[in-house]
Amino acid sequence: MRRKLAAGNWKMNGTSAALGELAALQEAHPDPAVDLLICPPATLLSAAVQEAHNGPLMIGGQDCHEKTDGAHTGDISAEMLRDVGARAVILGHSERRAGYHETSEDVRAKARTAHAAGLMTVICLGESLIQREATNTLDIIGAQLSLSVPDTSTGENLVVAYEPIWAIGSGQTPTPDQIGEVHDFMRTRLERRFGAGVGRSVRLLYGGSVKPENAAEIFAVSNVDGALVGGASLKAADFAPIIRALENA
Ligand code: 13P
């Protein structure tokens, strides 16, 4: 059975004052029945790892470079993330694909390096509204999935997050049927590529305007193994009920 995963992506939000939210989150869920991951900005990684005290809360990065080291001003390597105590990294978020022209090939190269460094990768995929309206969603997701996911993937080091671009930060979410269609499709594709054993153990997250109010409905969808949460992960008071909904799913 896949262990469920509640992941928070803080994006470019949070200074040291936000560490109190991690303390509050751990207080609300001292012994969670699901895996917990928070990906704060890089400036908070070290302090966040300390705040997590080797407990069940995992800390992760939001990106890493495809190279192991070198002259790449402003970038962070997978090894550096591991060194600071991060256990995972988000890769290929649509905000990076759009803002930094990251391609699926770039994402695959980064994921390979992250796997070699011992990190779990949360690889993000998602269609735009124009692509959905043109009924191209499964073609887009299929191409992103096969190109972004490297052959180094296993059931332990690969998590895939389906994040429709139009649902991110918009308050709009796909219907449960729409989410289920994409998640079932991703599961079939992963089983075909990696075999049933690995394909069935990769966790598939949904992301895009997940809130305490809609979490239970989303977590009831087949092949949804958790969520990648943006805005509602910033405050423990919002994220804690989402975690509770996942524990009860
Ligand atoms: P929101 O939950 O704020 O819509 O963001 C989703 C997201 O992009 C997580 O990576």
Side-chain angles (χ1 to χ4, degrees), residues 4 21 40-41 45 93 100 108-109 121 145 159 170 196 206 210 222:
K4 303 219 159 101
E21 297 299 329
L45 279 171
H93 193 283
Y100 297 89
R108 187 173 68 223
T121 53
L145 185 67
V159 174
S170 66
Y206 167 77
V210 176
S222 82

Side-chain angles (χ1 to χ4, degrees), residues 9 11 93 163 167-169 208-209 228-231:
N9 174 9
K11 309 190 180 183
H93 193 283
E163 298 205 311
I168 295 175
S209 296
L228 181 57
V229 182

Side-chain angles (χ1 to χ4, degrees), residues 111-131:
R112 213 183 276 126
T113 309
H115 289 163
L119 291 170
M120 180 176 87
T121 53
V122 180
I123 295 183
C124 303
L125 320 170
E127 83 286 2
S128 68
L129 192 56
I130 290 171
Q131 289 165 335

Side-chain angles (χ1 to χ4, degrees), residues 119-152:
L119 291 170
M120 180 176 87
T121 53
V122 180
I123 295 183
C124 303
L125 320 170
E127 83 286 2
S128 68
L129 192 56
I130 290 171
Q131 289 165 335
R132 174 159 284 277
E133 284 172 350
T135 65
N136 285 334
T137 297
L138 294 186
D139 287 345
I140 296 292
I141 298 300
Q144 288 181 348
L145 185 67
S146 59
L147 288 172
S148 305
V149 169
D151 288 336
T152 50

